[in-house]
Amino acid sequence: MERIIGRKLIILDEAGSTNEYAKRIAQNVPEGTVVVAKRQTAGRGRKGRRWESPEGGLWLSVVLKPPRVDPRLVFVGALAVVDTLSNFGIHSGVKWPNDVWVSGRKIAGILAEGKAGEYAVLGIGLNVNNDVPEELGKMATSMREILGREVSLSEVFHTLVGNLDHWYGLFLNGRDGEIVSALKERSIILGKEVKIIDDETELVGRAVDIDVDGALVLETPGGRVRVLHGDVSLRFL
Ligand code: BT5
């Protein structure tokens, strides 16, 4: 099958945010275009949070034109990152909805944005050889830290692009069941007591499932609750 992801590559020394860049060009480039920057000066997480993006890390955004936009697109990114780390001998897991963790620390984050019916931008930040932000202390890690040596950034990039192509192919073919079950297998939250924090509300319960729509199912004292909103924060208790 012809590859979609990486059909066109845009490689920048510096970007404010590759997601912003990708959104600006989305309508004029083919699906699968990847924008990658050596460093970002205004890397973003969800809700405008800052994403530290010094040189040495992998900061990229993919322009997609999917027939539908839903939380499983974020899973495509998360699964591709987990597989990529595994290709380099690192065992990781997904912290629903959009983080990849290694040994209790965040190594990657995913940010999906877009305009319904037009395009989606899947942004991925993966700490590779970069120093992790000091203020995050023991909350974050990198491939270099885990492996005790630097790895080739371009090898990590090409591996990740290949893995994104694989999982996005399943998404396009409507194989949501496989995506969700892979995500569940690699999830680090199932069976754990967690707190979900939305803007004004907090919800405590046991994470028991991720359903086929990508929603987190919590068992709370008041019964089962589905959390679909991709902007919530999840903390372990
Ligand atoms: C995310 O947001 O985890 C999504 C991050 C997406 C970054 C990519 S890089 C390429 C593309 N272009 C962009 O501008 N963004 C995407 P969220 O779940 O909101 O997490 C943000 C939080 O992660 C911050 O508040 C920090 O606590 C933490 N953080 C910031 N930089 C980090 C880093 N380099 N490594 C680990 N954690 C970090």
Side-chain angles (χ1 to χ4, degrees), residues 18 25-26 36-37 54 71 78 95 105 109 129 150 180 185 210 216 221 230:
T18 55
I25 61 167
V36 57
K95 178 173 167 277
R105 297 181 189 196
N129 298 319
E150 298 220 335
V180 172
E185 270 168 34
I210 293 162
L216 175 67

Side-chain angles (χ1 to χ4, degrees), residues 16-20 40 42-54 58-61 98-99 106-111 113 122-127 130-133 136 139-141 232:
S17 149
T18 55
N19 261 39
E20 288 307 318
Q40 296 183 115
R44 286 187 300 100
R46 296 172 304 158
K47 297 192 165 177
R49 285 193 281 261
R50 206 179 143 68
W51 182 261
E52 301 295 336
S53 325
L58 187 54
W59 326 119
L60 64 81
S61 301
N98 72 314
D99 285 4
K106 182 162 172 170
I107 195 165
I110 291 134
L111 177 67
E113 300 180 287
L122 188 62
I124 298 180
L126 170 62
N127 296 319
N130 57 297
D131 293 330
V132 290
L136 294 176
M139 301 286 291
T141 190
V232 298

